Amino acid sequence: MARLIEKLTPLWVSKVKKPGYFGDGGGLWLQVSNSGSKSWIFRFTINRKQREMGLGAVHTVSLSEARIKSRNLRLLLQEGIDPIDNREEAKQAKALESARTMTFDQCASKYIETHRSGWRNTKHAGQWESTIA
């Protein structure tokens, strides 16, 4: 009987050079580009829409880690949650939390430091600092 999942081996993944998509099963695919770079892709269908989600490069994410990630994504799909939307919501929540931890004074100081090199003279920086203070 043919294996339906976990069809790829770590040795084969490290040696494959031919461009294309190679399925491991359960929606996990190895993508080999024309330049030879390799990455993990999770393909799925939700609400009759085909989607692809990148899981990372092969040199960063191992085959076993990619399998774990794809399993977790399949569990989300069973609950009716779109993994891509879920990832974006998590990124936004993290960015919002980061923004909430920064005070106005810290934000203003960071803005001035970032833009200081673009101002013609030091007087502009002083004007910004005194205006905000």
Side-chain angles (χ1 to χ4, degrees):
M1 184 169 185
R3 289 169 61 172
L4 300 176
I5 198 162
E6 297 186 4
K7 296 183 270 186
L8 304 178
T9 64
L11 179 63
W12 187 87
V13 168
S14 66
K15 292 187 181 262
V16 68
K17 303 263 190 261
K18 180 182 173 187
Y21 283 82
F22 304 94
D24 185 52
L28 180 62
W29 293 80
L30 173 67
Q31 177 187 26
V32 181
S33 69
N34 290 332
S35 66
S37 64
K38 301 172 189 174
S39 60
W40 297 109
I41 304 292
F42 181 67
R43 287 180 166 178
F44 61 97
T45 303
I46 190 163
N47 299 327
R48 295 187 205 153
K49 186 175 181 184
Q50 294 266 333
R51 302 204 68 187
E52 285 188 3
M53 180 178 180
L55 301 180
V58 169
H59 62 81
T60 306
V61 179
S62 69
L63 174 59
S64 61
E65 291 170 335
R67 285 175 175 163
I68 291 168
K69 285 184 176 186
S70 69
R71 181 181 182 280
N72 292 336
L73 295 172
R74 285 193 306 272
L75 291 173
L76 282 175
L77 284 169
Q78 280 184 338
E79 295 174 18
I81 300 170
D82 186 335
I84 295 174
D85 292 344
N86 189 47
R87 180 172 62 179
E88 289 302 315
E89 288 170 6
K91 280 182 188 178
Q92 288 177 356
K94 186 176 179 182
L96 182 61
E97 185 61 34
S98 173
R100 286 184 177 156
T101 60
M102 185 180 283
T103 65
F104 178 77
D105 188 40
Q106 292 169 331
C107 183
S109 297
K110 191 169 187 145
Y111 179 86
I112 292 168
E113 284 304 313
T114 304
H115 290 84
R116 186 180 299 269
S117 62
W119 294 324
R120 293 185 183 195
N121 58 43
T122 56
K123 183 178 175 185
H124 288 103
Q127 289 172 335
W128 271 91
E129 290 167 348
S130 64
T131 300
I132 290 178

PDB file of all heavy atoms in Angstrom, residues 13 30 36-40 56-63 65:
ATOM      1  N   VAL A  13      15.412  15.212   0.388  1.00  0.00           N
ATOM      2  CA  VAL A  13      15.179  16.657   0.392  1.00  0.00           C
ATOM      3  C   VAL A  13      16.499  17.406   0.203  1.00  0.00           C
ATOM      4  O   VAL A  13      16.570  18.392  -0.533  1.00  0.00           O
ATOM      5  CB  VAL A  13      14.480  17.099   1.699  1.00  0.00           C
ATOM      6  CG1 VAL A  13      14.495  18.610   1.862  1.00  0.00           C
ATOM      7  CG2 VAL A  13      13.055  16.575   1.742  1.00  0.00           C
ATOM      8  N   LEU A  30       7.328  20.433  -0.852  1.00  0.00           N
ATOM      9  CA  LEU A  30       8.663  20.999  -0.991  1.00  0.00           C
ATOM     10  C   LEU A  30       8.697  21.728  -2.323  1.00  0.00           C
ATOM     11  O   LEU A  30       8.429  21.133  -3.366  1.00  0.00           O
ATOM     12  CB  LEU A  30       9.731  19.906  -0.966  1.00  0.00           C
ATOM     13  CG  LEU A  30      11.154  20.373  -1.281  1.00  0.00           C
ATOM     14  CD1 LEU A  30      11.668  21.291  -0.175  1.00  0.00           C
ATOM     15  CD2 LEU A  30      12.078  19.179  -1.450  1.00  0.00           C
ATOM     16  N   GLY A  36      17.371  26.884  -7.525  1.00  0.00           N
ATOM     17  CA  GLY A  36      17.819  25.822  -6.637  1.00  0.00           C
ATOM     18  C   GLY A  36      17.442  26.023  -5.181  1.00  0.00           C
ATOM     19  O   GLY A  36      17.707  25.152  -4.350  1.00  0.00           O
ATOM     20  N   SER A  37      16.844  27.162  -4.834  1.00  0.00           N
ATOM     21  CA  SER A  37      16.434  27.371  -3.453  1.00  0.00           C
ATOM     22  C   SER A  37      15.225  26.489  -3.139  1.00  0.00           C
ATOM     23  O   SER A  37      14.397  26.220  -4.002  1.00  0.00           O
ATOM     24  CB  SER A  37      16.112  28.845  -3.195  1.00  0.00           C
ATOM     25  OG  SER A  37      15.015  29.255  -3.968  1.00  0.00           O
ATOM     26  N   LYS A  38      15.150  26.066  -1.892  1.00  0.00           N
ATOM     27  CA  LYS A  38      14.098  25.132  -1.473  1.00  0.00           C
ATOM     28  C   LYS A  38      13.332  25.730  -0.299  1.00  0.00           C
ATOM     29  O   LYS A  38      13.926  26.302   0.607  1.00  0.00           O
ATOM     30  CB  LYS A  38      14.701  23.802  -1.043  1.00  0.00           C
ATOM     31  CG  LYS A  38      15.513  23.125  -2.117  1.00  0.00           C
ATOM     32  CD  LYS A  38      16.229  21.911  -1.548  1.00  0.00           C
ATOM     33  CE  LYS A  38      17.209  21.357  -2.551  1.00  0.00           C
ATOM     34  NZ  LYS A  38      17.998  20.269  -1.968  1.00  0.00           N
ATOM     35  N   SER A  39      12.017  25.557  -0.331  1.00  0.00           N
ATOM     36  CA  SER A  39      11.193  26.029   0.776  1.00  0.00           C
ATOM     37  C   SER A  39       9.990  25.119   0.952  1.00  0.00           C
ATOM     38  O   SER A  39       9.622  24.372   0.049  1.00  0.00           O
ATOM     39  CB  SER A  39      10.744  27.475   0.526  1.00  0.00           C
ATOM     40  OG  SER A  39       9.990  27.555  -0.659  1.00  0.00           O
ATOM     41  N   TRP A  40       9.388  25.223   2.133  1.00  0.00           N
ATOM     42  CA  TRP A  40       8.211  24.427   2.466  1.00  0.00           C
ATOM     43  C   TRP A  40       6.961  25.245   2.209  1.00  0.00           C
ATOM     44  O   TRP A  40       6.875  26.405   2.584  1.00  0.00           O
ATOM     45  CB  TRP A  40       8.255  23.983   3.923  1.00  0.00           C
ATOM     46  CG  TRP A  40       9.413  23.103   4.219  1.00  0.00           C
ATOM     47  CD1 TRP A  40      10.517  23.407   4.961  1.00  0.00           C
ATOM     48  CD2 TRP A  40       9.596  21.766   3.762  1.00  0.00           C
ATOM     49  NE1 TRP A  40      11.370  22.348   4.989  1.00  0.00           N
ATOM     50  CE2 TRP A  40      10.840  21.315   4.261  1.00  0.00           C
ATOM     51  CE3 TRP A  40       8.851  20.900   2.972  1.00  0.00           C
ATOM     52  CZ2 TRP A  40      11.328  20.048   4.004  1.00  0.00           C
ATOM     53  CZ3 TRP A  40       9.341  19.637   2.715  1.00  0.00           C
ATOM     54  CH2 TRP A  40      10.565  19.221   3.229  1.00  0.00           C
ATOM     55  N   GLY A  56       8.660  28.348   5.409  1.00  0.00           N
ATOM     56  CA  GLY A  56      10.068  28.669   5.634  1.00  0.00           C
ATOM     57  C   GLY A  56      10.981  27.914   4.690  1.00  0.00           C
ATOM     58  O   GLY A  56      10.583  26.946   4.035  1.00  0.00           O
ATOM     59  N   ALA A  57      12.217  28.365   4.640  1.00  0.00           N
ATOM     60  CA  ALA A  57      13.222  27.751   3.780  1.00  0.00           C
ATOM     61  C   ALA A  57      13.728  26.448   4.399  1.00  0.00           C
ATOM     62  O   ALA A  57      13.706  26.285   5.620  1.00  0.00           O
ATOM     63  CB  ALA A  57      14.386  28.708   3.574  1.00  0.00           C
ATOM     64  N   VAL A  58      14.185  25.558   3.550  1.00  0.00           N
ATOM     65  CA  VAL A  58      14.665  24.257   4.010  1.00  0.00           C
ATOM     66  C   VAL A  58      15.869  24.410   4.940  1.00  0.00           C
ATOM     67  O   VAL A  58      16.014  23.652   5.897  1.00  0.00           O
ATOM     68  CB  VAL A  58      15.007  23.344   2.800  1.00  0.00           C
ATOM     69  CG1 VAL A  58      15.756  22.109   3.219  1.00  0.00           C
ATOM     70  CG2 VAL A  58      13.733  22.969   2.070  1.00  0.00           C
ATOM     71  N   HIS A  59      16.723  25.405   4.670  1.00  0.00           N
ATOM     72  CA  HIS A  59      17.893  25.587   5.534  1.00  0.00           C
ATOM     73  C   HIS A  59      17.522  26.140   6.904  1.00  0.00           C
ATOM     74  O   HIS A  59      18.326  26.107   7.828  1.00  0.00           O
ATOM     75  CB  HIS A  59      18.951  26.462   4.854  1.00  0.00           C
ATOM     76  CG  HIS A  59      18.494  27.855   4.543  1.00  0.00           C
ATOM     77  ND1 HIS A  59      18.467  28.850   5.476  1.00  0.00           N
ATOM     78  CD2 HIS A  59      18.040  28.409   3.394  1.00  0.00           C
ATOM     79  CE1 HIS A  59      18.017  29.965   4.912  1.00  0.00           C
ATOM     80  NE2 HIS A  59      17.745  29.712   3.649  1.00  0.00           N
ATOM     81  N   THR A  60      16.301  26.632   7.061  1.00  0.00           N
ATOM     82  CA  THR A  60      15.825  27.154   8.341  1.00  0.00           C
ATOM     83  C   THR A  60      14.870  26.184   9.039  1.00  0.00           C
ATOM     84  O   THR A  60      14.938  26.008  10.250  1.00  0.00           O
ATOM     85  CB  THR A  60      15.090  28.498   8.120  1.00  0.00           C
ATOM     86  OG1 THR A  60      15.941  29.379   7.401  1.00  0.00           O
ATOM     87  CG2 THR A  60      14.705  29.132   9.433  1.00  0.00           C
ATOM     88  N   VAL A  61      13.986  25.576   8.261  1.00  0.00           N
ATOM     89  CA  VAL A  61      12.963  24.674   8.801  1.00  0.00           C
ATOM     90  C   VAL A  61      13.242  23.265   8.286  1.00  0.00           C
ATOM     91  O   VAL A  61      13.249  23.034   7.076  1.00  0.00           O
ATOM     92  CB  VAL A  61      11.547  25.130   8.369  1.00  0.00           C
ATOM     93  CG1 VAL A  61      10.492  24.199   8.910  1.00  0.00           C
ATOM     94  CG2 VAL A  61      11.293  26.558   8.810  1.00  0.00           C
ATOM     95  N   SER A  62      13.476  22.343   9.201  1.00  0.00           N
ATOM     96  CA  SER A  62      13.757  20.964   8.802  1.00  0.00           C
ATOM     97  C   SER A  62      12.474  20.257   8.362  1.00  0.00           C
ATOM     98  O   SER A  62      11.368  20.769   8.562  1.00  0.00           O
ATOM     99  CB  SER A  62      14.389  20.201   9.968  1.00  0.00           C
ATOM    100  OG  SER A  62      13.434  20.005  10.998  1.00  0.00           O
ATOM    101  N   LEU A  63      12.639  19.087   7.784  1.00  0.00           N
ATOM    102  CA  LEU A  63      11.490  18.300   7.342  1.00  0.00           C
ATOM    103  C   LEU A  63      10.581  17.970   8.516  1.00  0.00           C
ATOM    104  O   LEU A  63       9.360  18.114   8.426  1.00  0.00           O
ATOM    105  CB  LEU A  63      11.959  17.017   6.646  1.00  0.00           C
ATOM    106  CG  LEU A  63      10.895  16.008   6.240  1.00  0.00           C
ATOM    107  CD1 LEU A  63       9.887  16.632   5.282  1.00  0.00           C
ATOM    108  CD2 LEU A  63      11.539  14.785   5.598  1.00  0.00           C
ATOM    109  N   GLU A  65      10.233  19.605  11.355  1.00  0.00           N
ATOM    110  CA  GLU A  65       9.567  20.824  11.814  1.00  0.00           C
ATOM    111  C   GLU A  65       8.448  21.224  10.859  1.00  0.00           C
ATOM    112  O   GLU A  65       7.379  21.662  11.298  1.00  0.00           O
ATOM    113  CB  GLU A  65      10.577  21.965  11.923  1.00  0.00           C
ATOM    114  CG  GLU A  65      11.582  21.787  13.044  1.00  0.00           C
ATOM    115  CD  GLU A  65      12.716  22.794  12.978  1.00  0.00           C
ATOM    116  OE1 GLU A  65      13.018  23.316  11.888  1.00  0.00           O
ATOM    117  OE2 GLU A  65      13.308  23.045  14.040  1.00  0.00           O
TER     118      GLU A  65
END
